[in-house]
Amino acid sequence: MAEHENNVPAPRHGPNRGGYQKPKDLRGTVGKLMNYLGRYKLQLILVAICILASAACNVGGAYLLRPLINDYILPGDFSGLAKMLAVMAGIFIMGALMSFAYARIMVHISQNTVAALRRDLFAKLQGLPLKYFDAHTHGELMSRFTNDIDTVSEAINNSFASLISCVATFVGTIAMMLYISPPLTLVTFAALAVMLAAVSGIGSRSRRSFTAQQKAIGTVNGYIEEMTEGQKVIKVFNHESAAIDGFRERNEAYRQASTSAQTFAGAMMPVMGNLSYINYAFTCMIGAILTIRSGDLGGLAIFLQYTRQVSQPVNQIAQQVNTILAAVAGAERIFEVMEAEPEVDLGKVTLVRVKYLPGGVQEETAIDTGAWAWKQPDGALIPVKGDVRFDHVVFSYDGKKTVLNGISLFAKPGQKIALVGSTGAGKTTITNLINRFYEIESGVITYDGINIRDIEKDSLRRSLGVVLQDTHLFSGTVADNIRYGRLDATDEDVEAAAQLANADHFIRHLPQGYQTVLSSDGGSLSQGERQLLNIARAALSNPPVLILDEATSSIDTRTEKLIEQGMDQLMAGRTVFVIAHRLSTVRNSRAILVLEQGEIIERGDHEELLDQKGRYYQLYTGQAELA
Ligand SMILES: Nc1ncnc2c1ncn2[C@@H]1O[C@H](COP(=O)(O)OP(=O)(O)O)[C@@H](O)[C@H]1O
Ligand SMILES: [Mg+2]
């Protein structure tokens, strides 16, 4: 069932919606990220310098403890000691300033980068075909913007610089330790080896449980989103307790996953802490023996200091690597969307405004004359009339199930053609194809004799007006919403369109008239009023061809009359495809096509079809249900 056609939330708690695995193509994705970061080359170099300087200050500043003890404290040179302390303080302050500097710069880089990512991702979404949105849920796409962008942001903000800083500190510390005492360093290496084994053991388990946790979050969020979107339906069908049960299940899975993830994460610190104390005790013991022989007390003090410091970066490196891997996986999902096949448009024929010169010659103009023409690549102008033809059109949404099976039909300029048939027969699909929302498998659709494949999509869609059953309004004023039909329309145009659509009257009775602000679903308006706005929107765009898909199906009786009048005025002089429940609204059509399972089984005008005593007759006389 087509999900966009009704509001019933289809359960989508499928397996792994987003896939929170490790990146599949680490190198490729990092390369793409680097394209974004590459814009900040100079800053990044500066960051690297600051990081190295800060690490050097930390490791080097600590080293000064050795001469401090050996040369000043032990001999009792207090004025020298004061000087030395000042130097040390200077170095540490320097290190702190450097850390502050690179952190600032990284914030700047990361925020600009993720803003660029968000911008490109959003722009990309606008260019994707409807087919893409059929296959990807809202929740999935939303999580590209939220979770995935967040992890990328977090990684660039902190992890990236931390990782480099940790590696630099680690290497610097080890170098200093080797310099002070190679034998003691061996003890440290042995301890580090044990720690690494522990880190990777706990780490891989913790990674696995974090992955499971991410997945569980996705499921819970998706469920909340679906159920909130479908609140009305849930209430109508008394599904609240079922919804709560469903939530309880997912919430419980999330709790279990989080508990195990946090358990491993929590185990890491104590285990590492204990290991490092054992290492410390060992080093102390051996160091004391060595010092008794060498007398380098300062050396021992600073070595012990390094011993305590050295395990810290090891810990952090593992953590940061995880965060960075998660970010790369997030970035990969973002790039997946960015690299999705965009809507292909090879159409070269465009829609232009024309004016008529004496002798009936047309000329392109920028002024709104109300007259349009198709401009061919060679510059030739073909007047827009609104002649639409299908010739043996075969179509399938998924490449498997044929939805339209050899449809042929024609609508001459100004004709009203009705499509009737039960739900799922393919009526809406026909209109989707005129709009070229989807590509047909075989056959031809022409518009004023031009294959619609040759018409630029924007132009094609501008020449078509669509009024659907589910009215979508955007947050903004009433006037803004009508102006959606033609962005450059003046206030007068907007009001004229509203009058034509019979919407003017109710709009004037709204608190702020045309300036009344609507929420994003127009919740404060009745279905009928929203529909009137939709009709006004279509009237404003003044299209030669109009598609009305069940436009009057869910209208309250109070507005029904208004809408029908509005519709009639809108339809006058245009080619119209009308799909309607109420056969009374299609009676006066020039031709009625009865569609069943993707095929036209009857065609003719109302009288002819009644005479045939076929399907239409059954529908009309109520012997068959029309959905
Ligand atoms: N976006 C879609 N993706 C896949 N199948 C779809 C989609 N939209 C409609 N269908 C299927 O195509 C068939 C025709 O649907 P539709 O044209 O909406 O019927 P109608 O408007 O006559 O009720 C149905 O079987 C429907 O489930
Ligand atoms: Mg339909």
Side-chain angles (χ1 to χ4, degrees), residues 353-586:
R353 291 197 163 104
V354 287
K355 66 179 177 205
Y356 286 91
L357 300 176
V361 191
Q362 304 178 80
E363 191 184 78
E364 193 177 340
T365 168
I367 311 158
D368 181 8
T369 52
W372 297 90
W374 298 112
K375 184 178 178 182
Q376 299 207 292
D378 63 6
L381 296 174
I382 301 173
V384 173
K385 294 208 184 87
D387 176 299
V388 177
R389 286 163 199 267
F390 276 53
D391 185 15
H392 292 94
V393 171
V394 177
F395 171 75
S396 154
Y397 282 101
D398 53 10
K400 292 181 214 116
K401 187 179 145 230
T402 304
V403 172
L404 294 185
N405 195 4
I407 295 287
S408 296
L409 59 86
F410 62 91
K412 291 188 182 156
Q415 283 184 346
K416 179 174 163 190
I417 305 295
L419 300 169
V420 300
S422 42
T423 297
K427 306 178 297 289
T428 299
T429 304
I430 289 186
T431 68
N432 282 342
L433 297 184
I434 302 177
N435 263 306
R436 241 185 112 202
F437 285 148
Y438 300 90
E439 299 296 328
I440 57 179
E441 253 162 42
S442 66
V444 187
I445 304 174
T446 61
Y447 191 142
D448 291 333
I450 309 165
N451 187 333
I452 61 167
R453 280 186 183 209
D454 298 332
I455 302 177
E456 186 199 54
K457 281 187 180 169
D458 282 356
S459 290
L460 176 69
R461 290 173 194 166
R462 199 180 321 144
S463 74
L464 297 165
V466 186
V467 181
L468 301 173
Q469 177 181 359
D470 36 311
T471 52
H472 191 87
L473 299 176
F474 293 92
S475 47
T477 64
V478 168
D480 289 343
N481 267 289
I482 298 178
R483 195 169 280 122
Y484 221 79
R486 179 157 59 86
L487 295 179
D488 59 357
T490 64
D491 287 349
E492 287 73 40
D493 294 340
V494 168
E495 286 178 27
Q499 270 160 9
L500 182 80
N502 260 350
D504 186 65
H505 183 73
F506 100 81
I507 296 173
R508 290 196 187 282
H509 279 83
L510 291 175
Q512 270 92 44
Y514 281 86
Q515 298 311 315
T516 308
V517 176
L518 302 176
S519 60
S520 67
D521 58 354
S524 50
L525 302 179
S526 76
Q527 180 76 28
E529 289 166 337
R530 280 186 267 164
Q531 196 56 284
L532 285 174
L533 291 187
N534 255 347
I535 298 171
R537 196 186 268 173
L540 186 66
S541 70
N542 190 19
V545 174
L546 192 64
I547 296 167
L548 307 173
D549 190 352
E550 316 256 4
T552 53
S553 295
S554 48
I555 301 303
D556 46 302
T557 39
R558 192 168 65 83
T559 21
E560 186 183 340
K561 269 258 119 31
L562 275 176
I563 293 196
E564 290 201 330
Q565 285 169 10
M567 290 284 201
D568 284 344
Q569 296 179 56
L570 183 63
M571 288 191 280
R574 302 177 208 278
T575 307
V576 183
F577 288 91
V578 57
I579 301 172
H581 278 319
R582 292 191 193 88
L583 291 183
S584 56
T585 35
V586 305

